[in-house]
Amino acid sequence: MPGSTNFLTKNKSIILYGIFLAIMLLLLKWLELRFILINHAFEIYAGSIAIIFTALGIWLALKLTKPKTILIEKEVFTEKPETFVLNEKEMIRLNISKRELEVLQLMSEGLSNQEIAAKLFVSLNTIKTHIARLFDKLEVKRRTQAVEISKKLSLIP
Amino acid sequence: MPGSTNFLTKNKSIILYGIFLAIMLLLLKWLELRFILINHAFEIYAGSIAIIFTALGIWLALKLTKPKTILIEKEVFTEKPETFVLNEKEMIRLNISKRELEVLQLMSEGLSNQEIAAKLFVSLNTIKTHIARLFDKLEVKRRTQAVEISKKLSLIP
DNA sequence: TTTATCTTCATACTTTAGGGTGATTTTCAT
DNA sequence: ATGAAAATCACCCTAAAGTATGAAGATAAA
């Protein structure tokens, strides 16, 4: 830009003087600082040490100490675990066979003997004998009781 | 003891000399320490500052930091909530009466119609009609199904 | 191989459950 | 007080459940 170039050439000496003054001022300020530094060298040194080692102390404490942990156990109640596991011990104890358990399962779902027979491709009489044996082993007299008790024993879900 | 007294009087000058020597040695050692301290005053001072401020830093860090809180969610499976609450909305929706619910309850416990009748001091026929209405309202055909469904609907425990 | 258990099926019989219909008495809210 | 819902009961009939007994094939363990 020609405008700014003109300004520079016109006030060259003034600018140079200004710059000189600025430098001198900076130098004086620096010398002042130096003077202060020299005269208070010990205090500055001690202060620096204090600051540095305080920082070191903080760092050490934070880094090397075990974090203070407050363990809060929050109980989460699960609605229904749904994780049915067959109580095999009871099954063995009561001497209930796999087939019988299968019939028991279907019985608990509300199926009639006829429906169970159809589902397992066997005769109604077969289901009746299975159920009769189940009642004997479970020591019950009715299917509703059988369902009740075998649910409590975790033989069925 | 006369023995030890004899020993003291006999060697008095030797003992005194020994004590004197010991004191002199201690004095020398102390002077030596003083000399070391004076000559290394600055280092000692700086070191002290370092130690003190490190300690300060550690103290600050331990005292002023918030303890880290770790929240751990622990799943607790309640075996049986045992807190059965009747689903009254379903009861109203299905238009099931108190007496019917009572019968349903006993039915779920495995009682026969005859037993239910005896327990409620009513005739077998009454129980039959109650149950017939229940089956109608629950849209089922067998008592095992009735028990199944009404457990799911929280009409019975 | 032989024994014991499981699974299957049958026949006969008894008991209980369930369906349909109708009727009387309580109870309770309008 | 009166009408609707609830609770009670009876009778008849069918279907399903449960009991008892016997027996035969399948399977797995001894």
Side-chain angles (χ1 to χ4, degrees):
Chain A
M1 290 136 184
S4 59
T5 318
N6 261 356
F7 177 81
L8 282 175
T9 44
K10 267 185 186 172
N11 306 283
K12 196 178 177 180
S13 56
I14 294 168
I15 290 162
L16 283 174
Y17 179 68
I19 290 167
F20 174 73
L21 268 180
I23 290 167
M24 281 308 288
L25 264 167
L26 276 173
L27 192 66
L28 278 171
K29 275 288 163 191
W30 182 74
L31 285 172
E32 190 182 318
L33 190 66
R34 252 185 76 93
F35 179 75
I36 289 165
L37 284 174
I38 290 161
N39 274 303
H40 298 81
F42 183 74
E43 283 88 345
I44 288 163
Y45 184 64
S48 300
I49 287 170
I51 290 164
I52 289 164
F53 280 87
T54 300
L56 176 70
I58 289 169
W59 179 81
L60 270 172
L62 292 178
K63 208 71 185 179
L64 299 179
T65 55
K66 305 168 200 164
K68 271 185 198 174
T69 54
I70 293 175
L71 218 162
I72 296 172
E73 282 189 3
K74 189 183 177 186
E75 290 190 350
V76 178
F77 291 92
T78 49
E79 264 300 314
K80 277 181 181 178
E82 291 294 358
T83 53
F84 169 74
V85 277
L86 178 77
N87 189 342
E88 288 185 62
K89 288 183 183 176
E90 276 299 323
M91 218 180 121
I92 291 164
R93 188 178 72 81
L94 297 172
N95 195 29
I96 293 171
S97 73
K98 289 172 209 164
R99 197 59 159 174
E100 284 164 353
L101 190 73
E102 209 170 348
V103 173
L104 185 59
Q105 165 71 39
L106 294 172
M107 199 169 72
S108 78
E109 290 172 14
L111 300 202
S112 68
N113 292 349
Q114 194 61 262
E115 288 169 334
I116 296 170
K119 201 156 217 169
L120 298 181
F121 302 105
V122 293
S123 79
L124 174 61
N125 285 310
T126 305
I127 298 305
K128 280 190 177 185
T129 52
H130 280 317
I131 288 177
R133 293 224 185 83
L134 272 169
F135 289 177
D136 221 54
K137 291 171 181 177
L138 293 171
E139 295 177 285
V140 296
K141 295 214 174 298
R142 278 173 289 282
R143 47 176 57 215
T144 44
Q145 288 181 335
V147 172
E148 253 264 287
I149 223 174
S150 49
K151 279 198 177 183
K152 280 185 184 170
L153 297 178
S154 283
L155 295 172
I156 51 172
Chain B
M1 290 137 184
S4 57
T5 318
N6 264 356
F7 177 80
L8 282 173
T9 45
K10 266 185 187 171
N11 305 281
K12 196 176 178 182
S13 54
I14 294 168
I15 289 164
L16 283 174
Y17 178 68
I19 289 168
F20 174 72
L21 267 180
I23 289 167
M24 281 308 290
L25 264 166
L26 277 173
L27 194 65
L28 277 172
K29 275 288 164 189
W30 184 74
L31 285 171
E32 190 183 318
L33 191 66
R34 253 184 74 93
F35 180 74
I36 289 164
L37 284 175
I38 290 162
N39 275 301
H40 298 79
F42 183 75
E43 285 87 345
I44 287 164
Y45 184 64
S48 300
I49 287 170
I51 289 164
I52 289 164
F53 279 87
T54 301
L56 177 69
I58 289 168
W59 179 80
L60 270 173
L62 292 178
K63 207 72 184 179
L64 300 178
T65 53
K66 305 169 202 165
K68 282 182 192 172
T69 302
I70 293 173
L71 211 160
I72 294 172
E73 286 196 355
K74 189 184 182 185
E75 284 192 8
V76 175
F77 292 95
T78 49
E79 262 301 313
K80 279 182 182 177
E82 291 294 0
T83 52
F84 169 73
V85 276
L86 178 77
N87 188 342
E88 288 184 62
K89 288 181 182 177
E90 276 299 322
M91 217 182 124
I92 291 164
R93 187 177 74 79
L94 297 172
N95 195 29
I96 293 171
S97 72
K98 289 172 210 165
R99 197 59 159 174
E100 283 164 356
L101 190 72
E102 209 169 348
V103 172
L104 185 58
Q105 165 70 38
L106 294 172
M107 198 169 75
S108 79
E109 290 172 15
L111 300 203
S112 68
N113 292 348
Q114 195 61 261
E115 288 168 334
I116 296 170
K119 202 157 217 169
L120 299 182
F121 302 105
V122 292
S123 80
L124 173 60
N125 285 311
T126 304
I127 299 304
K128 281 190 176 183
T129 52
H130 280 318
I131 287 178
R133 292 219 186 89
L134 271 169
F135 289 178
D136 221 54
K137 290 171 182 177
L138 293 171
E139 294 176 285
V140 296
K141 296 214 174 298
R142 276 174 292 282
R143 48 175 57 216
T144 43
Q145 289 182 334
V147 172
E148 253 265 289
I149 223 176
S150 48
K151 279 200 178 182
K152 281 186 182 168
L153 296 178
S154 283
L155 294 172
I156 50 173

